[in-house]
Amino acid sequence: MTFYVKPLLGSCPLSQLVSSSCVRLSYLHLLYQQRDSLDCVAEKVVDSGQFYEEVVYGGGGSQWDRLSHFTLMVAASLDQGFREFWVEAECLLFNYRLEREMMGKEVITSVRRLGRHLEEFMDGSSEEVWGEVFMAVKELLGDRLLQHWVECRETECRHGNTLIPFTMVLPLVRVRRVVMSLGRAQVNCRLVQATLGCIFRKIINTKLD
């Protein structure tokens, strides 16, 4: 799993860039079409005969996964309609990986890596842009709530009371799934997955803006 904070450096043949981006776009369309029944995604992949493995399987983070993500991000920055679809589809892919493809230790490694990358942005003007994201990640790791979540088997576990900036979880605030305390949202175990999804959404929207 990756949060796509840092793009890849180097060069890539245009044909491979286009090919990987088309494969990713096809898979995103599939996820979007099946968003109300994601359990059917694997079956639909087999039926379609499409080959997605190198680009989108395995939890993400491969060079083709990252290249195709950032290529489509450029397209999303140029067209509002495509942006709306792409953000929703990428969030679906993120949550699908989180629920079905990732081991607990892989999730923790990915979030720790995100924290290290964000810490590099805490100097100068970037701190204003990424400060709240960094604080949210730091609190999730510092309170060991993430560690508890990956080990927990209860779907409605209310362990923990981690405070993060409420702007990081606005979708949860709108539907009153979090308790507010002095401008911060209280996150417990059952809200960790939704919170990670909100952080991912915040990151890609920030980069597009």
Side-chain angles (χ1 to χ4, degrees):
M1 183 179 73
T2 179
F3 289 85
Y4 305 105
V5 173
K6 286 188 172 183
L8 285 175
L9 300 177
S11 60
C12 171
L14 180 59
S15 60
Q16 289 182 304
L17 190 63
V18 171
S19 176
S20 63
S21 299
C22 288
V23 169
R24 186 187 196 89
L25 184 58
S26 173
Y27 191 63
L28 291 176
H29 271 294
L30 175 61
L31 287 176
Y32 193 78
Q33 290 168 353
Q34 301 295 320
R35 60 189 178 276
D36 295 325
S37 56
L38 289 177
D39 289 336
C40 300
V41 168
E43 179 182 343
K44 294 291 183 181
V45 169
V46 173
D47 290 343
S48 69
Q50 292 276 10
F51 182 74
Y52 296 115
E53 185 173 359
E54 289 187 359
V55 178
V56 293
Y57 283 172
S62 70
Q63 62 173 340
W64 299 117
D65 172 64
R66 295 170 66 191
L67 278 170
S68 60
H69 171 87
F70 283 108
T71 302
L72 293 179
M73 177 179 281
V74 173
S77 70
L78 300 173
D79 183 270
Q80 182 61 31
F82 181 70
R83 171 176 173 161
E84 292 174 4
F85 157 77
W86 182 77
V87 170
E88 291 303 319
E90 284 287 344
C91 289
L92 282 170
L93 175 58
F94 177 86
N95 285 309
Y96 185 79
R97 286 170 168 171
L98 195 56
E99 289 181 15
R100 294 169 169 82
E101 297 182 355
M102 302 297 297
M103 300 291 290
K105 63 180 181 180
E106 294 173 315
V107 175
I108 292 176
T109 297
S110 181
V111 176
R112 284 175 176 166
R113 186 186 306 116
L114 171 63
R116 291 194 299 271
H117 289 166
L118 290 171
E119 190 170 16
E120 296 175 13
F121 299 157
M122 290 302 103
D123 295 326
S125 59
S126 296
E127 182 175 358
E128 183 177 350
V129 176
W130 296 107
E132 289 188 340
V133 184
F134 176 66
M135 286 303 300
V137 172
K138 184 177 179 180
E139 292 297 331
L140 285 175
L141 291 170
D143 282 359
R144 296 186 62 79
L145 180 60
L146 190 65
Q147 181 70 46
H148 171 85
W149 174 73
V150 301
E151 296 171 353
C152 184
R153 297 295 179 267
E154 298 179 31
T155 57
E156 291 299 317
C157 176
R158 296 179 181 272
H159 170 86
N161 184 27
T162 298
L163 296 175
I164 66 174
F166 80 93
T167 52
M168 293 304 307
V169 289
L170 286 177
L172 303 182
V173 174
R174 293 190 188 103
V175 296
R176 300 184 179 181
R177 290 189 65 192
V178 293
V179 176
M180 299 297 296
S181 176
L182 300 176
R184 291 184 152 196
Q186 297 180 6
V187 174
N188 56 27
C189 178
R190 70 189 181 99
L191 294 176
V192 168
Q193 181 174 321
T195 299
L196 291 175
C198 289
I199 289 173
F200 179 77
R201 182 183 293 270
K202 178 75 171 180
I203 288 171
I204 60 176
N205 275 315
T206 298
K207 293 178 77 68
L208 283 169
D209 292 338

